[in-house]
Amino acid sequence: MELFLACAAVTPSGVREALVGRPAEYAQTLQTIRVPTLVIHGEQDRVLLPATGEYTAQMVEHAKLLVYEGIGHTPFWEASDRFNADVTAFIESAT
């Protein structure tokens, strides 16, 4: 976690501020995705608010959204066992 915090500390504040709460305007790109897509988002993410994950899942046809309650911006780190199991199950179901 210290590594993630260190990386965030060197990210210019303007970049971090631009990311908070967006969804960006990339609907057209997301709507062209035609492969199985898994969106995992932490419910307590304050870098990219959960609305970003919801937006992505809505724009990608047949995307699966998993929201991890009590988890922030790094579900792969904060809930690594669950994350790995979910990704593995998704890959196995898509093949």
Side-chain angles (χ1 to χ4, degrees):
M1 194 59 163
E2 290 176 4
L3 175 62
F4 296 120
L5 293 173
C7 289
V10 298
T11 302
S13 62
V15 172
R16 289 193 309 271
E17 290 170 9
L19 292 173
V20 174
R22 69 181 173 134
E25 295 299 323
Y26 48 86
Q28 285 184 313
T29 300
L30 292 173
Q31 291 170 346
T32 65
I33 296 173
R34 297 288 180 254
V35 296
T37 303
L38 176 63
V39 179
I40 298 176
H41 207 102
E43 175 258 339
Q44 292 183 356
D45 190 338
R46 297 300 172 249
V47 177
L48 296 172
L49 297 180
T52 304
E54 294 165 6
Y55 175 83
T56 300
Q58 289 172 0
M59 293 295 109
V60 178
E61 188 174 342
H62 305 297
K64 179 178 181 179
L65 172 64
L66 298 178
V67 177
Y68 288 14
E69 290 187 29
I71 300 298
H73 186 62
T74 55
F76 58 88
W77 181 267
E78 297 170 66
S80 58
D81 289 342
R82 179 181 176 193
F83 181 89
N84 291 340
D86 287 339
V87 170
T88 299
F90 181 77
I91 291 168
E92 289 173 350
S93 73
T95 56

